[in-house]
Amino acid sequence: MQSENEIFALVDVNNCYVSCERVFNPALNDRPTIVLSNNDGCAVARSQEAKDLGIKMGVPVFQIKELIKQHNIQVLSSNFSLYGEMSKRFMELLGDYVAPGDQEVYSIDECFLKLTAYEHLFDLTVYAQDMRAKAWRWLGLPCCIGIGRSKTEAKIANHLAKKNKFFNGVCNLAHMDPCSTETLLAQVDVSEVWGVGRQNCKKLNTMGVQSVLDLINANPKEIKKQFSIVMEKTVLELQGLSCIDLSDDTVAKKQIISSRSYGNPVYEMDDIKASVRLYVARAVKRMREDGSICKMIGVYIQTSRFDKTERYSPYIVVQMHEHTDDLLLITKAAMKGIDQIFKKGFKYKKAGIVLLEITDQSKFVPDLFTDYSHKQERERLSDAIEAISERFGKNLVTLGIANNKEATWHMNQNLRSPSYLTKWSDLPRVG
């Protein structure tokens, strides 16, 4: 559905992971800082100071060891429990500015807000500045806001707000003078447009489309012929016609993946099973929170993709009798899968599971011969396990030996900051 009278904002936390760390460790302020991926492998977040030193997104940390030493760059392991909790508070704060149906949490650090109903009540630039000020005052998180007549235009506006300090963190393309807008967009490479991938960018360049302004001036019908209806919508969105509305978060996921790379090579089946039990528990928790159930589970194990001397990456799907969210049954199916694909003699570096054939529990009709009394007992057991985890911490109750902190398969996170918001023992102490 297309609309000419919509207004969207994209709110984005600046350098999210680093900003979260700085809230609780002010000594990191104004210092080049990077946050590493699982197992401390690659840089997944960089402060502006680190970006200015030329550190690229995703660069392996071993490649920049000399740079780290030379500039005293602060290096941290990822602390996703902290970032997730800060993100939750950030999104709740933004939710106070709009009605419940006018917010779309796009990622851990990005959020779309539909401001159409507020355009005649507030100066939207001032309204957005108030959001920024409150996020900084209440949470200590810096953010930029882009405002546009479509989600794609709001994305570009956010990019401009980040790159141009004179906007003071808020770029409102919806109400900007057209000549100023054209001047700015003529300087932005077309690769910055939301949804324009590397291959599409190359093709656009050969067609003479170099900047965002070039793409705006393109004929949408011609773009559709050369690319797809998706690219046509992108052009229309940049021209101010809203084609992409806020997403409905109530739609159930089609699959849920839970996996991790091992901190050290794993050789024994028992160690792989221990890790997979934890991955299943995490995935089932997410599925139950969505009110969903699954019929199948995919299980895989992998050797290192960088080791050319041995390659073994099997994947198997195990089907259950009927759709379920029973942690015990799903774990049992995963263990069955490991039994079938594990081979001795390999150095395994990763394992994971995929919950498949997911459907809404409220719409599911059980089998005619289902034992309802047994089903209700298992439901109470699952609820009890979740309640214990919520009250006393995750992984306190596990199926089998799955939480041995000395196990070699746990991720390397030697530089991880405390879980300031999710563990009582890690609460900051003053005085």
Side-chain angles (χ1 to χ4, degrees), residues 290-336:
D290 290 342
S292 302
I293 49 182
C294 69
K295 180 70 179 292
M296 299 187 294
I297 181 170
V299 186
Y300 64 88
I301 50 179
Q302 296 178 356
T303 55
S304 173
R305 57 194 178 97
F306 300 109
D307 188 349
K308 296 181 180 180
T309 62
E310 61 173 24
R311 291 283 178 88
Y312 183 57
S313 304
Y315 174 74
I316 189 171
V317 174
V318 181
Q319 186 164 322
M320 290 164 281
H321 174 64
E322 66 176 0
H323 283 80
T324 183
D325 63 357
D326 187 328
L327 176 60
L328 276 71
L329 286 178
I330 299 173
T331 302
K332 183 178 180 181
M335 296 302 100
K336 180 180 177 181

Side-chain angles (χ1 to χ4, degrees), residues 7-11 112-113 145-160 171 173 237-238:
I7 301 290
F8 295 90
L10 177 69
V11 190
F112 282 107
L113 301 175
I145 301 176
I147 301 172
R149 297 161 296 172
S150 66
K151 290 171 74 174
T152 305
E153 189 175 63
K155 269 271 197 182
I156 283 293
N158 185 277
H159 172 79
L160 291 170
C171 175
L173 288 180
E237 287 243 317
L238 288 172

